[in-house]
Amino acid sequence: FRRVLFRSHGEGTGDLLDAVVDTLRHAGLAGAGGGGAEPSRMPERPDIAVAIVGRPNAGKSSLVNRLLREERMIVSDMPGTTRDSVDSALTWHQRAFRIVDTAGIRRPGRVSRGGAVEEISVLLARRAIESADIVVLVVDATAGATDQDAAIAGEADRAGRGVVVVANKWDLTKGQGADYVKAFDERLRRQLKFLDYAPILHISALTGERTPKLLETIDRVAAARATRVRTPELNRFVERVTAAHPPASPGRKHVRVLYAAQTGVAPPTFVFFTNVATTFHFSYERFLMNQLRDAFGFEGTPIRFHVRTRTRRARPKPGDRAAQVDQAVDTDAAPSARKERTGRRGSRYTGRP
């Protein structure tokens, strides 16, 4: 349909809206205006939101096109071709994904010199990281990881998102020798040492090499983010680990982990209750995280720790009459918790003469 609009006067907008409603009605997306037909529901939001991030010209748009199996995104050798964050729906093995192609993120100094358009593009890319479940960091395999890649990955880690590191353009590294893969991964781990939990994939968006592994890994990491450990199982694990390797004691009293509980998922969050400590040494936290990953998985997801001191109820002072009355009321309210006492004061507690 075609309609002529006059923006300054608003003429023709009513006809345009009528034409839109008629088109939706014929497509089955809207009810027949009071005829009793129930409008069809909008499709549900995909289960897993995936943000494809990285530096400019790392092959992010090519990777999205390969996953979607169509030329949805504009691909060019010129860095900065993608300016907006574009969402695309994808279904794989009955699992729904929302793939977000983002603009390349350069260093802040270069972004400020790039103008307002690039600043907005980078802002949208950072928002895509915050709203994603899984962040796929695309690294140019011919250049390796840089400080800017580490900065982008750090944003995903601080946001508590699952992370998958993808070394793209792997087809250009052919003929480097059998030890090249090991050396490349070691350099990548050193550059992204805080992402030791993130899996690394070597793919080629151009040829499609190993790209099916990416969706499989994303699905596995998303499941790990939602893993919840039962409290009895977790405390058996804590008892076993802390007995073999107790935490360091900064003061005179030895630090003992009394019990633990998982208080959240996505990311998995744990609270450890101790007798005196309110924090663990960073090396002991790293040790506990590695032990948790070995025992329960948590592949590709950060883990959050909280340490708290177990609080005991203060006993009333001898002269505090009000506190003594409150304690007596609490004792009368729970008679089953009292134990029968015998001895010199037995007549007072047992009722025996």
Side-chain angles (χ1 to χ4, degrees), residues 56 80 82-85 102-128 148 155:
T82 303
R83 291 293 190 179
D84 198 3
S85 296
T102 65
I105 303 177
R106 298 196 297 172
R107 292 198 299 267
R110 293 186 176 182
V111 171
S112 60
R113 293 194 298 268
V117 175
E118 185 171 359
E119 290 180 354
I120 295 175
S121 300
V122 172
L123 176 62
L124 294 176
R126 290 196 166 98
R127 287 182 178 177
Q148 181 59 18
E155 295 187 22

Side-chain angles (χ1 to χ4, degrees), residues 21 24-25 28-40:
V21 172
L24 293 176
R25 183 181 296 115
L29 298 177
E38 185 175 336
S40 61

Side-chain angles (χ1 to χ4, degrees), residues 11-153:
E11 297 180 9
T13 55
D15 295 336
L16 175 61
L17 292 176
D18 291 340
V20 170
V21 172
D22 291 339
T23 304
L24 293 176
R25 183 181 296 115
H26 292 315
L29 298 177
E38 185 175 336
S40 61
R41 296 182 178 179
M42 296 296 292
E44 296 182 358
R45 183 178 178 180
D47 292 338
I48 304 174
V50 182
I52 311 294
V53 301
R55 293 184 295 120
N57 207 26
K60 299 181 296 297
S61 297
S62 299
L63 177 58
V64 173
N65 288 339
R66 175 63 64 176
L67 294 176
L68 298 176
R69 297 183 179 180
E70 60 177 299
E71 298 297 324
R72 182 77 61 86
M73 309 302 168
I74 300 176
V75 178
S76 173
D77 293 334
M78 181 182 298
T81 301
T82 303
R83 291 293 190 179
D84 198 3
S85 296
V86 182
D87 295 24
S88 302
L90 173 65
T91 302
W92 174 82
H93 288 195
Q94 299 182 349
R95 291 300 305 270
F97 298 86
R98 180 166 58 88
I99 310 295
V100 183
D101 183 24
T102 65
I105 303 177
R106 298 196 297 172
R107 292 198 299 267
R110 293 186 176 182
V111 171
S112 60
R113 293 194 298 268
V117 175
E118 185 171 359
E119 290 180 354
I120 295 175
S121 300
V122 172
L123 176 62
L124 294 176
R126 290 196 166 98
R127 287 182 178 177
I129 293 176
E130 295 174 356
S131 61
D133 298 314
I134 308 297
V135 173
V136 176
L137 176 64
V138 182
V139 177
D140 189 343
T142 60
T146 64
D147 292 340
Q148 181 59 18
D149 291 315
I152 299 171

Side-chain angles (χ1 to χ4, degrees), residues 138-205:
V138 182
V139 177
D140 189 343
T142 60
T146 64
D147 292 340
Q148 181 59 18
D149 291 315
I152 299 171
E155 295 187 22
D157 180 76
R158 288 189 296 271
R161 305 301 178 237
V163 180
V164 178
V165 181
V166 169
N168 191 25
K169 305 181 183 180
W170 196 254
D171 55 304
L172 301 180
T173 64
K174 299 296 184 181
Q176 297 289 340
D179 297 332
Y180 179 78
V181 177
K182 182 179 179 181
F184 178 88
D185 289 350
E186 289 178 353
R187 290 195 305 268
L188 189 61
R189 290 296 186 192
R190 285 197 301 269
Q191 192 71 27
L192 308 175
K193 55 185 177 181
F194 56 92
L195 286 184
D196 55 350
Y197 58 83
I200 299 176
L201 298 179
H202 313 97
I203 71 169
S204 172

